[in-house]
């Protein structure tokens, strides 16, 4: 069973493989003045993450101005998550077209306040990998989950959907376009 550092490394690798995020993208802009640097961790609390997955998390949102957002389980063997964003006016259809063939089952999901949302679920024998994407205007937020075996696929999907809902609600509240 992978330890927390291995799970976090897998999350980061999955993120790089499944998103076309560039560190050079500017932060999203709300109505009016430019927003401070956006961090998806601002859209979820440790309590929300615990409710979504039934385990306590430590959230690492990096230093001031850092775009890091990693949630690791407090106890060994639980799910680990990594979140990021990109500003991409062409939307999720273009993101998925640019990724080509994606390993796993891709499905469109309904998320309150979102323009579009998708899940990519890949249940392997040793781990569950789920990437969730939620689009609010030009902002596309992504969460990647790695859950080592034994895992509950349905619970993982429900948890990622709850995280996407929290991210979308935060984007709506911040009036991101």
């Amino acid at each position: 069973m992978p330890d927390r550092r291995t799970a976090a490394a897998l999350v980061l690798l999955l993120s790089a493989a499944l998103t076309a995020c560039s560190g050079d993208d500017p932060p999203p802009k709300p109505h009016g003045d430019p927003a401070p640097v956006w961090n998806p961790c601002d859209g979820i609390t440790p309590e929300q993450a615990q409710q979504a997955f039934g385990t306590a998390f430590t959230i690492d949102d990096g230093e001031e101005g850092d775009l890091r957002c990693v949630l690791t389980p407090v106890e060994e063997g639980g799910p680990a998550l990594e979140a990021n964003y990109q500003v991409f006016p062409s939307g999720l259809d273009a993101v998925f077209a640019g990724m080509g063939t994606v390993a796993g089952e891709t499905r469109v999901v309904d998320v309150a306040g979102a323009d579009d949302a998708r899940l990519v679920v890949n249940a392997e024998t040793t781990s569950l990998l789920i990437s969730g994407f939620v689009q609010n205007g030009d902002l596309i937020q992504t969460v990647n989950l790695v859950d080592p075996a034994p895992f509950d696929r349905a619970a993982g999907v429900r948890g990622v959907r709850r995280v996407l809902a929290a991210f979308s609600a935060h984007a709506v509240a911040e009036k991101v376009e």
Side-chain angles (χ1 to χ4, degrees):
M1 181 177 313
D3 64 21
R4 278 197 265 169
R5 280 185 246 153
T6 304
L10 288 171
V11 167
L12 294 174
L13 288 173
L14 180 63
S15 171
L18 291 179
T19 63
C21 185
S22 167
D24 297 329
D25 288 336
K29 296 183 180 11
H31 301 284
D33 296 331
V37 173
W38 185 267
N39 190 320
C41 274
D42 294 340
I44 190 163
T45 66
E47 294 79 21
Q48 288 171 309
Q50 183 169 359
Q51 287 175 351
F53 295 97
T55 189
F57 287 92
T58 300
I59 296 182
D60 179 358
D61 60 359
E63 301 295 322
E64 183 74 28
D66 193 2
L67 301 180
R68 180 174 174 78
C69 182
V70 178
L71 294 86
T72 52
V74 171
E75 293 187 23
E76 188 79 20
L81 298 107
E82 179 273 340
N84 61 71
Y85 78 92
Q86 59 185 311
V87 176
F88 196 72
S90 298
L92 278 179
D93 286 334
V95 168
F96 273 79
M99 285 193 287
T101 303
V102 178
E105 171 195 345
T106 301
R107 57 177 103 153
V108 175
V109 293
D110 186 36
V111 173
D115 298 317
D116 196 355
R118 316 259 173 103
L119 289 178
V120 178
V121 181
N122 189 356
E124 300 177 349
T125 57
T126 59
S127 61
L128 174 64
L129 309 172
I130 302 175
S131 289
F133 303 82
V134 63
Q135 177 186 343
N136 297 85
D138 293 346
L139 173 67
I140 298 174
Q141 295 181 90
T142 305
V143 62
N144 298 297
L145 169 121
V146 174
D147 193 0
F151 55 81
D152 180 337
R153 177 186 171 122
V157 168
R158 280 190 307 273
V160 170
R161 288 184 72 161
R162 289 179 81 171
V163 171
L164 293 178
F167 286 171
S168 179
H170 179 67
V172 169
E174 292 296 314
K175 297 181 175 95
V176 174
E177 53 179 34

